[in-house]
Amino acid sequence: MNWALARLILGQVCIHACMAGMRMAAPLLALREGYSAAAVGVLLALFALTQVFLALPAGRYADRHGLKRPVGYSVALAAAGAALALAFPTFPVLCLAALMTGGATGAATIALQRHVGRAAHDATQLKQVFSWLAIGPAVSNFIGPFCAGLMIDHAGSAAGSTEGYRAAFALMAILPLLTWFWVRDTVELPPVIAAAGGPPQRAWDLMNEPPFRRLLIVNWLLSSCWDVHTFVVPLLGHERGLSASVIGSILGAFAIAAAVIRVLMPLVAERLRERVVVAGAMVVTAVLFGVYPLLGSALAMGLCSVLLGFALGSVQPMVMSLLHQITPSHRHGEALGLRLMAINASSVLMPMLFGTAGAVMGVGGLFWVVGAAVGAGARMAWRMGAGTAGKAHPPS
């Protein structure tokens, strides 16, 4: 990893940590003010909702303007959202802050991913850089909530006081400014101009391409597995009589394993084939989902969680590498926007579907149904990179 890539990863960590910290602090403040669990659920959904609608326009904007202009606007939007929560810590303003910080983080992520992918010169570099870049959200998901929690507990006159929450929001408003500090000196890549004279292109035309369509479906299936695991493990642990700390440790083991595999992947990227990794991850996930509901002890569930973290954590770098290989260079932003839109729409809708399905078929049944769907999708994953293995877009 070179210094230029490290600066971009640090920039991603800072703006994503802002959203992660707000996603922890805002619901806690709403609960302290007496709002219901349903209202808090709506508040949490708003962090992903903006990204559903902004992802595609943000991708097109990045295709036209490169890296620094989209990131600059995202930094301003995220900092303003956290500053509004600092000035007016009320529920309606927290909802607005959730929309602003969530949308800004999504737009900045698309611009950063597009730039990093275009800067890579071959398929091996694509796998390496996206493995490094995928570590950023794992780090920021720890830094943001941890720092916000420290402010809430220790910066005010008493733990959980309004002053503590204001201090947390102030810190979250500063973090995006650090993103600009890391990104501002990045050298922009030459723009990619589409060939003139062709028919007008729409983002949804990408869905007519079988390789991209298969990639998006596979990515959605695997993203749903993350949501299922996060949603179902607490329910399964409760059924088994496990304590909250043990359930948290099981989920934490999953997150650590996903981060560890992403640290190791750049070291062996040259030997990895995208479709083999993704298809293998889907088969392993299907098997683990079949076994998970049958496990009775915390140790066994923890081991299964670690293995699942290894499998699912390996997927994103491979998906991002394939996406940059199968889409035209001048449409990478649009493709990234479509991908982010699908993932966030899933994050908004799937928990509600999981809740309904879990009530009908039980927790174990939900694991088995999703596992069967993921296993069936492995054949699609095996086919999606057959024509692009070892080939990347031309060097920028």
Side-chain angles (χ1 to χ4, degrees):
M1 177 170 39
N2 57 41
W3 179 235
L5 177 59
R7 290 175 68 91
L8 294 178
I9 293 172
L10 288 170
Q12 182 193 29
V13 166
C14 291
I15 195 165
H16 197 279
C18 167
M19 182 189 70
M22 292 293 296
R23 197 166 50 195
M24 191 273 287
L28 288 180
L29 180 57
L31 290 171
R32 195 203 71 171
E33 296 298 313
Y35 285 90
S36 66
V40 171
V42 170
L43 175 60
L44 284 171
L46 294 178
F47 284 97
L49 185 63
T50 323
Q51 298 184 40
V52 175
F53 298 102
L54 281 186
L56 195 50
R60 289 173 177 157
Y61 193 80
D63 280 334
R64 292 195 302 269
H65 299 288
L67 173 69
K68 288 193 278 190
R69 189 183 294 186
V71 171
Y73 285 138
S74 298
V75 164
L77 186 63
L84 281 174
L86 162 64
F88 309 102
T90 61
F91 187 77
V93 175
L94 293 178
C95 291
L96 178 60
L99 291 169
M100 294 171 71
T101 55
T105 301
T109 298
I110 289 171
L112 287 163
Q113 289 173 340
R114 177 186 177 276
H115 180 89
V116 167
R118 284 198 59 217
H121 297 297
D122 54 40
T124 298
Q125 273 198 355
L126 280 170
K127 288 174 281 193
Q128 288 174 333
V129 296
F130 281 119
S131 295
W132 288 120
L133 196 64
I135 298 170
V139 174
S140 58
N141 280 332
F142 169 76
I143 291 176
F146 179 74
C147 293
L150 286 179
M151 294 294 103
I152 292 169
D153 286 342
H154 302 292
S157 56
S161 65
T162 301
E163 292 82 3
Y165 280 100
R166 287 182 184 272
F169 296 142
L171 179 59
M172 295 305 107
I174 293 171
L175 285 174
L177 305 180
L178 296 178
T179 294
W180 183 246
F181 170 79
W182 293 117
V183 173
R184 60 184 177 143
D185 292 330
T186 302
V187 178
E188 289 278 11
L189 297 172
V192 181
I193 307 300
Q201 293 180 321
R202 299 173 300 172
W204 295 106
D205 293 338
L206 289 170
M207 295 296 293
N208 295 328
E209 301 295 328
F212 182 78
R213 187 168 61 247
R214 287 195 291 264
L215 180 65
L216 207 61
I217 292 171
V218 166
N219 195 194
W220 172 75
L221 282 171
L222 289 163
S223 175
S224 296
C225 291
W226 285 73
D227 295 331
V228 168
H229 186 260
T230 303
F231 178 83
V232 174
V233 166
L235 301 179
L236 197 62
H238 180 73
E239 285 186 0
R240 303 290 189 271
L242 304 180
S243 66
S245 60
V246 171
I247 294 172
S249 298
I250 293 171
L251 292 173
F254 172 85
I256 292 171
V260 167
I261 195 66
R262 289 172 178 177
V263 172
L264 296 177
M265 287 178 72
L267 306 178
V268 294
E270 190 172 353
R271 300 183 181 89
L272 301 176
R273 294 293 176 265
E274 293 92 337
R275 64 192 183 111
V276 175
V277 173
V278 176
M282 296 183 83
V283 172
V284 171
T285 299
V287 172
L288 293 174
F289 268 30
V291 172
Y292 222 128
L294 307 177
L295 304 177
S297 70
L299 182 60
M301 290 176 65
L303 177 60
C304 198
S305 185
V306 168
L307 296 175
L308 194 60
F310 285 144
L312 293 178
S314 68
V315 168
Q316 182 178 334
M318 302 295 104
V319 167
M320 300 301 294
S321 174
L322 274 173
L323 183 145
H324 279 77
Q325 293 178 57
I326 65 178
T327 55
S329 296
H330 66 281
R331 306 192 72 184
H332 283 166
E334 282 184 304
L336 290 166
L338 280 171
R339 173 186 171 272
L340 190 66
M341 182 172 65
I343 290 175
N344 281 283
S346 175
S347 295
V348 172
L349 298 175
M350 294 307 284
M352 293 184 286
L353 178 61
F354 295 154
T356 303
V360 173
M361 65 182 67
V363 174
L366 184 57
F367 257 129
W368 292 327
V369 168
V370 175
V374 172
R379 182 172 179 272
M380 185 183 299
W382 182 260
R383 294 172 55 205
M384 69 182 181
T388 57
K391 301 177 184 178
H393 58 79
S396 299

